[in-house]
Amino acid sequence: MFLFDGPDQARITILLAHGAGAPMDSPAMTAAARTLAGTGFRVARFEFDYMAGRRTGTGRVPPPRAEKLNPQYAAAVDALGAKGPLIIGGKSMGGRVASMVADELLTARRISGLLCLGYPFHPPGKPDQPRTGHLAELQTPTLIVQGTRDDFGSREEVSTYKLSPRIDILWLADGNHDLIPRKSVSGYSAADHLKTMAEAVSAWAERVTTQGDRHRLLGATTSHRRC
């Protein structure tokens, strides 16, 4: 069910779902997972049922509406059974689905944060049709890694949307929806952006998981005192 990268005994696990049109082992997903694993994370990738079905010869089934996939994401969290801090997220649609289940999982103290790689803020070419309603009130600590020329949400377009203060955005110069820049334009390579992404995720994840551990400890202490 899962593809794993990174050390088995990593303190933090990241669970990633794929985008709408490409599987969990696409070049973009593989590059991101391996780069994150290289900084010490345990990275698990999984596929929604419609995408997994394409591997069994049942045809190219189109993705359902994103919210229909919420139960499958929650089931993946259950199946993974991470023992330490867990961050959920994904590429494009996978990150969007994770964002719709994140607050419930955070309230249940099952996750520490949300990581979105190339968030689909709107359909390509349609910035007036934002997919951001739930992001305005999101309570889960979130890091969105976005290319400045992403067709699903450029820096200029995203600046007009109302987003929760719990959301941080790392903008990668000239990156597209796969975070890939044009080196002749930006001076950066895809490898440069992946390295920047992984370093930022590492610092952010350390902060939010440490805060989560502190909150859990305070909760346990309060419960003990009430007894």
Side-chain angles (χ1 to χ4, degrees):
M1 179 177 182
F2 299 102
L3 282 181
F4 289 101
D5 294 279
D8 292 340
Q9 302 306 316
R11 188 178 79 85
I12 301 171
T13 299
I14 299 177
L15 177 63
L16 296 176
H18 56 84
M24 63 181 175
D25 55 356
S26 69
M29 284 284 289
T30 298
R34 290 178 177 174
T35 305
L36 289 167
T39 64
F41 293 107
R42 182 64 162 163
V43 182
R45 290 175 273 167
F46 79 99
E47 287 181 341
F48 297 114
D49 290 348
Y50 81 90
M51 184 63 73
R54 295 181 183 181
R55 297 181 184 273
T56 64
T58 56
R60 189 175 175 83
V61 179
R65 293 178 63 86
E67 57 269 20
K68 297 290 186 182
L69 298 171
N70 291 1
Q72 291 182 39
Y73 205 112
V77 172
D78 290 339
L80 182 62
K83 301 303 181 185
L86 174 63
I87 292 169
I88 63 170
K91 173 76 176 73
S92 193
M93 184 195 71
R96 183 183 176 204
V97 176
S99 73
M100 291 189 283
V101 300
D103 277 358
E104 183 176 351
L105 292 170
L106 181 75
T107 299
R109 297 184 177 178
R110 302 194 63 192
I111 67 168
S112 297
L114 169 68
L115 172 64
C116 300
L117 305 176
Y119 189 87
F121 285 96
H122 59 74
K126 299 179 180 180
D128 57 338
Q129 298 179 22
R131 299 161 169 163
T132 58
H134 67 294
L135 297 183
E137 305 300 329
L138 191 70
Q139 296 301 305
T140 303
T142 299
L143 177 61
I144 297 175
V145 183
Q146 195 84 356
T148 60
R149 64 181 177 96
D150 192 329
D151 291 338
F152 290 78
S154 68
R155 188 168 195 165
E156 293 74 20
E157 292 164 347
V158 174
S159 69
T160 67
Y161 299 146
K162 180 182 177 182
L163 301 177
S164 165
R166 302 289 281 171
I167 297 175
D168 294 316
I169 303 180
L170 171 65
W171 289 104
L172 297 176
D174 196 58
N176 64 10
H177 195 51
D178 289 333
L179 310 179
I180 298 173
R182 298 165 295 184
K183 190 169 186 179
S184 61
V185 174
S186 68
Y188 296 102
S189 67
D192 291 333
H193 276 359
L194 286 173
K195 182 175 182 291
T196 298
M197 177 273 294
E199 290 173 348
V201 172
S202 182
W204 167 82
E206 186 64 31
R207 183 174 73 252
V208 300
T209 58
T210 300
Q211 290 171 348
D213 289 343
R214 186 180 303 117
H215 292 159
R216 280 189 288 271
L217 178 60
L218 288 173
T221 302
T222 301
S223 297
H224 176 73
R225 287 173 178 170
R226 287 175 178 172
C227 291

